[in-house]
Amino acid sequence: MPRPTGRVLTLLELLQSGGTRTVAELADRLGVQGRTVRRYVDQLIDLDVPVESVRGRYGGYRLAPGYRLPPLMLSDDEALAVLLGLVAGRRAGLTTTERTASETASAKIRRVLPKRIARRLDTLLETLAFTDQPGEFDTPDAGVLLTIADAVRHHRPVSIRYTDRDGRRSERTLHAYGIVTHAGRWYVTGKAARIGEDRTFRLDRITDARTLPGSFEAPVGPGPAQRVLSGFATAEYRHEVTLRIHGTVEQIRAHLPAGVASLEDDASAVGEDRATERWLRVELRAERLDWLPPVLASLDRPFVIERPDELRDLVIALAGRLTSYAAGHDREEPMA
């Protein structure tokens, strides 16, 4: 009687996904009895696949830790998810300094896939079009990224060599809270041990990272992503801008996201629902002001400029130009 090869391979795929699988779970997924599962496991062991038996109430079967299966077993959906993830990550700048890594990974996956699936996926990638151009970003070193991730997970200090935007190099000790991706770049946020204040660093500007002895307590309060966004909104720039805008939180955030501006209710509106239109106080810092008048115009909401006066002048100038364009005063005369 021939072996049910398809079910044996399905069992291997289930074990490859990780963790311990109970006999009852495997039997249910394969549509067989428990004793048949055990027979399939024996067949895998005969093929030198190291399947371990786990005893106890929650026991079952698992693959030996660290074992890498020679065949790559991906379903159509899984292969599609992996390849599209590699494409999206490459376009978004979420790669390491090995710029060819995603291309070689894609090639390896396609090479070991069954021809039928590989052809279908190649067809999709060939016919896929994007409305934007891929981003060009400086990407972090893979070793630095993994070292800092380990320090975050185990709450251990990490020493980094950092080059700031002015080219100044320094060595710092950081209590890293988390790694955040924002607008195609990688950041690490944490407390700078020497000054005892929160700081955010671009990972592509870190040339070396090594874990130090000791540990620290992770802070309570906002998570790493919110800390990074708050840091962007409050960073030191040439101009400090304060506005009051009448609208909902969602209307304002659509044009002035958390990474650009901080947002709070006027004292008289505290406690109102987020969907309620009301006066909201907006604060931001900017190196230049010329981009703000078009943003305020696109909001199409009442607003008051509290500071600086220069922004008020720019808004008035933009309003004058728009009025002139609408009236056709600057329209060129048609050629005879």
Side-chain angles (χ1 to χ4, degrees), residues 95-101 138-143 203-204 206:
T95 58
T96 66
T97 50
E98 295 294 332
R99 295 182 181 273
T100 60
D138 294 324
T139 50
D141 177 80
L203 276 167
D204 60 279
I206 298 177

Side-chain angles (χ1 to χ4, degrees), residues 203-282:
L203 276 167
D204 60 279
R205 291 177 176 167
I206 298 177
T207 56
D208 181 65
R210 56 187 176 87
T211 307
L212 301 175
S215 62
F216 63 89
E217 289 292 329
V220 296
Q226 185 58 48
R227 290 175 183 272
V228 169
L229 292 176
S230 297
F232 289 149
T234 58
E236 290 297 329
Y237 289 102
R238 180 180 176 185
H239 301 283
E240 294 186 358
V241 178
T242 304
L243 309 162
R244 286 189 297 116
I245 303 175
H246 191 270
T248 67
V249 173
E250 287 73 18
Q251 288 170 339
I252 297 172
R253 280 296 183 220
H255 299 269
L256 294 169
V260 173
S262 60
L263 189 64
E264 64 181 30
D265 285 313
D266 273 1
S268 60
V270 173
E272 292 188 13
D273 185 78
R274 285 174 59 92
T276 303
E277 291 188 0
R278 59 193 185 275
W279 284 102
L280 295 165
R281 187 179 185 84
V282 178

Side-chain angles (χ1 to χ4, degrees), residues 13 31 67 97 289:
E13 184 177 350
Y67 178 71
T97 50
L289 295 174

Side-chain angles (χ1 to χ4, degrees), residues 79-325:
L80 178 61
V82 170
L83 290 177
L84 289 182
L86 289 170
V87 171
R90 187 165 65 245
R91 293 181 64 86
L94 303 182
T95 58
T96 66
T97 50
E98 295 294 332
R99 295 182 181 273
T100 60
S102 56
E103 285 88 349
T104 56
S106 298
K108 289 178 182 178
I109 292 173
R110 289 199 294 269
R111 188 166 61 246
V112 299
L113 286 174
K115 290 183 178 179
R116 177 185 63 84
I117 299 177
R119 282 196 299 268
R120 296 183 67 187
L121 294 175
D122 282 340
T123 299
L124 171 64
L125 295 177
E126 289 171 4
T127 57
L128 182 63
F130 295 88
T131 58
D132 61 342
Q133 296 298 316
E136 292 294 333
F137 302 106
D138 294 324
T139 50
D141 177 80
V144 167
L145 180 62
L146 295 175
T147 297
I148 293 179
D150 185 73
V152 169
R153 180 176 184 179
H154 296 98
H155 299 163
R156 297 183 61 186
V158 61
S159 174
I160 61 173
R161 292 180 182 174
Y162 191 72
T163 303
D164 65 19
R165 61 183 177 183
D166 296 322
R168 293 188 295 266
R169 299 179 180 180
S170 61
E171 186 163 342
R172 310 167 187 235
T173 298
L174 181 68
H175 294 171
Y177 304 150
I179 295 172
V180 178
T181 62
H182 173 69
R185 296 196 186 280
W186 296 81
Y187 299 89
V188 57
T189 183
K191 179 177 288 186
R194 184 176 61 84
I195 61 177
E197 295 181 0
D198 285 358
R199 289 290 186 269
T200 295
F201 300 96
R202 270 177 46 178
L203 276 167
D204 60 279
R205 291 177 176 167
I206 298 177
T207 56
D208 181 65
R210 56 187 176 87
T211 307
L212 301 175
S215 62
F216 63 89
E217 289 292 329
V220 296
Q226 185 58 48
R227 290 175 183 272
V228 169
L229 292 176
S230 297
F232 289 149
T234 58
E236 290 297 329
Y237 289 102
R238 180 180 176 185
H239 301 283
E240 294 186 358
V241 178
T242 304
L243 309 162
R244 286 189 297 116
I245 303 175
H246 191 270
T248 67
V249 173
E250 287 73 18
Q251 288 170 339
I252 297 172
R253 280 296 183 220
H255 299 269
L256 294 169
V260 173
S262 60
L263 189 64
E264 64 181 30
D265 285 313
D266 273 1
S268 60
V270 173
E272 292 188 13
D273 185 78
R274 285 174 59 92
T276 303
E277 291 188 0
R278 59 193 185 275
W279 284 102
L280 295 165
R281 187 179 185 84
V282 178
E283 294 185 349
L284 60 98
R285 290 172 170 80
E287 195 65 28
R288 297 172 55 184
L289 295 174
D290 53 357
W291 61 274
L292 260 175
V295 172
L296 295 175
S298 65
L299 269 168
D300 194 23
R301 306 300 308 165
F303 64 86
V304 175
I305 299 172
E306 295 187 352
R307 63 172 178 170
D309 292 338
E310 182 181 347
L311 176 59
R312 187 177 296 107
D313 295 337
L314 290 173
V315 170
I316 293 173
L318 175 62
R321 290 197 302 273
L322 293 176
T323 300
S324 176
Y325 300 155

